[in-house]
């Protein structure tokens, strides 16, 4: 009779199943100690396949070794099947880390979250030094035991000299928390960078009290990645750490040890309670810097798109694609090149006020002194594309359109404006 069927495991007696997990049961030792017993997970048909069995046996053996080595920050093994291969092991009861950080459902304190994740990062850095990657980091696997955060559920962990039990085409890790490279992991690829990604995502959802994190890299300027409401200016200091910890390419990510150290540095910078901030009021240099970074990305993209269209306009006007001013693109207000119309921006014909970025260029004047000015200016991350045919300080024709310059539709709009300008110039006497 199997251990599960007899509901007795040596000195442990069954209490009840853990809701939603038939292979996990609350148990009680004959001396009164309570624990959580884990056995191999069965399929819908009630059978345990070979891969699942091998994973469980590896987990049981390895977790016993980590417990014997007194590795802190993991949920230890209290007891295990004395037979080999083991069919069960018992862990102590622990509570979810989320419940400790947000007791009674109250919002978590950002500093307390960072402190907890800093400790988890320390544990995972120690494991990485032992060539162990967890590969299943998510809030549900972060518990609180004996006064500190502890990592649980090493069922799909990568261990030294362990055969890979997951096919290269099989996704690896928690769906909403796993790193991009773990969607289709390469055989033998280390999982340590993926643990960093998943742990940073876990920090975010615990701080924001979310169920799932937003997808992708946590860019500093991305509003959906902001912890401003949870920590104000202090959150701005954390933003570059989160961005680097969730870099798309594993080689660009912080190592787990570096992530631990950056969180430690943040905690040192903010030794006291971190005050939440109103999400609509972003003051201070760091908040301004984040907005500036976003504008800069849009301005640089605008400068990248303009040369091809300027060459097209020079060709249409002069028959030669090099008859335009590339140097003008490098300046905010290039000498002798400006838009004359306001294009919806009132009060300032020089666009010095209220405009966050600008890029302009011009074709060479033709024999009649006519030239074409093309470019755009930014208010926040909205780019107004603008074009004018000018002569003697007057506008013969003008065009403008608001776009998000990072999207393909912006280039379509810019090409359309270029076509219309070229067609209009061709009709001039």
């Amino acid at each position: 009779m199997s251990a599960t069927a007899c509901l007795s495991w040596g000195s442990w007696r069954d209490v009840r199943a853990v809701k939603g997990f038939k292979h996990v049961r609350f148990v009680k030792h004959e001396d009164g100690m309570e624990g959580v017993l884990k056995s191999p997970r069965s399929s819908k048909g009630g059978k345990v396949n070979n891969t699942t069995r091998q994973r469980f046996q590896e987990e049981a053996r390895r977790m016993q070794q980590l417990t014997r080595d007194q590795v802190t920050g993991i949920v230890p093994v209290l007891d295990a099947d004395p037979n080999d291969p083991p069919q069960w092991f018992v862990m102590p009861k622990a509570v979810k880390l989320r419940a400790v950080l947000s007791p009674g459902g109250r919002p978590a304190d950002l500093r307390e979250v960072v402190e907890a994740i800093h400790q988890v990062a320390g544990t995972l850095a120690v494991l990485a030094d032992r060539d162990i990657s967890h590969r299943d980091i998510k809030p549900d696997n972060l518990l609180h035991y004996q006064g500190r955060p502890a990592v649980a559920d090493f069922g799909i962990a990568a261990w030294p000299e362990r055969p890979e039990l997951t096919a290269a085409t099989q996704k690896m890790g928690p769906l909403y928390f796993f790193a991009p490279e773990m969607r289709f992991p390469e055989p033998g690829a280390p999982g340590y960078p993926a643990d960093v990604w998943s742990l940073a995502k876990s920090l975010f959802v615990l701080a924001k009290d979310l169920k799932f994190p937003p997808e992708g890299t946590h860019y500093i300027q991305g509003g959906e990645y902001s912890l401003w409401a949870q920590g104000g200016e202090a959150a701005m200091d954390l933003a570059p750490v989160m961005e680097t910890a969730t870099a798309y390419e594993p080689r660009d990510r912080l190592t787990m040890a570096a992530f631990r150290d950056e969180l430690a540095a943040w905690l040192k910078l903010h030794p006291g309670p971190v005050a939440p901030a109103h999400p609509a009021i972003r003051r201070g240099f760091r908040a301004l810097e984040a907005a500036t970074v976003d504008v800069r990305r849009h301005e640089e993209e605008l400068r990248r798109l303009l040369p091809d269209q300027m060459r097209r306009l020079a060709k249409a006007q002069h028959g030669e694609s090099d008859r335009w001013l590339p140097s003008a693109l490098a300046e905010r207000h290039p000498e002798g090149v400006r838009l004359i119309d306001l294009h919806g921006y009132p009060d300032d014909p020089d666009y010095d006020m209220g405009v966050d970025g600008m890029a302009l260029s011009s074709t060479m004047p033709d024999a009649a002194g006519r030239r074409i000015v093309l470019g755009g200016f930014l208010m926040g991350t909205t780019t107004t594309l603008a074009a004018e045919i000018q002569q003697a300080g007057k506008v013969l024709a003008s065009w403008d359109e608001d776009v998000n310059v990072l999207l393909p539709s912006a280039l379509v709009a810019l090409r359309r404006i270029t076509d219309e300008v070229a067609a209009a110039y061709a009709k001039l006497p």
Side-chain angles (χ1 to χ4, degrees), residues 182-413:
M182 302 307 280
R183 298 177 188 275
F184 299 102
E186 293 291 333
Y192 324 120
D195 284 350
V196 175
W197 173 289
S198 299
L199 188 57
K201 293 285 185 177
S202 297
L203 186 161
F204 187 83
V205 300
L206 290 171
K208 299 276 284 187
D209 194 26
L210 300 174
K211 189 173 182 180
F212 305 116
E215 294 186 358
T217 298
H218 285 229
Y219 291 111
I220 293 173
Q221 66 274 14
E224 68 272 35
Y225 306 120
S226 174
L227 289 169
W228 175 263
Q230 286 68 41
E233 292 295 328
M236 297 306 301
D237 289 333
L238 187 61
V241 181
M242 295 293 289
E243 180 175 277
T244 315
T246 56
Y248 184 85
E249 292 290 345
R251 65 177 178 271
D252 296 331
R253 243 170 262 157
L254 294 171
T255 64
M256 188 61 76
F259 187 42
R260 173 201 62 202
D261 293 346
E262 292 296 340
L263 294 180
W266 185 90
L267 290 165
K268 186 175 181 179
L269 288 174
H270 303 282
V274 174
H278 193 286
I281 305 175
R282 297 188 60 165
R283 298 192 180 100
F285 176 75
R286 298 303 299 278
L288 176 62
E289 183 182 46
T292 302
V293 168
D294 206 14
V295 169
R296 192 177 300 127
R297 288 178 64 220
H298 286 72
E299 189 172 8
E300 289 174 354
E301 181 64 11
L302 176 61
R303 294 181 194 280
R304 188 186 73 82
L305 296 178
L306 285 175
D308 283 348
Q309 305 312 308
M310 288 306 309
R311 284 189 283 267
R312 291 180 62 205
L313 291 173
K315 181 76 172 177
Q317 184 178 13
H318 298 286
E320 299 176 11
S321 61
D322 61 349
R323 298 291 301 277
W324 65 286
L325 303 174
S327 61
L329 288 177
E331 303 175 34
R332 173 69 182 266
H333 293 293
E335 184 176 355
V337 178
R338 61 184 292 267
L339 293 167
I340 298 174
D341 280 353
L342 295 179
H343 298 280
Y345 284 70
D347 302 329
D348 184 27
D350 291 324
Y351 306 100
D352 284 325
M353 302 294 292
V355 175
D356 297 319
M358 177 175 284
L360 291 174
S361 192
S362 169
T363 61
M364 302 291 191
D366 62 14
R370 296 173 300 199
R371 65 178 182 174
I372 301 169
V373 176
L374 178 68
F377 39 90
L378 291 83
M379 175 68 78
T381 56
T382 297
T383 297
T384 298
L385 301 175
E388 296 177 358
I389 301 176
Q390 302 174 353
Q391 185 178 30
K394 296 182 179 179
V395 177
L396 303 182
S398 70
W399 296 258
D400 57 61
E401 184 172 343
D402 290 344
V403 298
N404 179 337
V405 77
L406 301 182
L407 299 179
S409 57
L411 180 55
V412 172

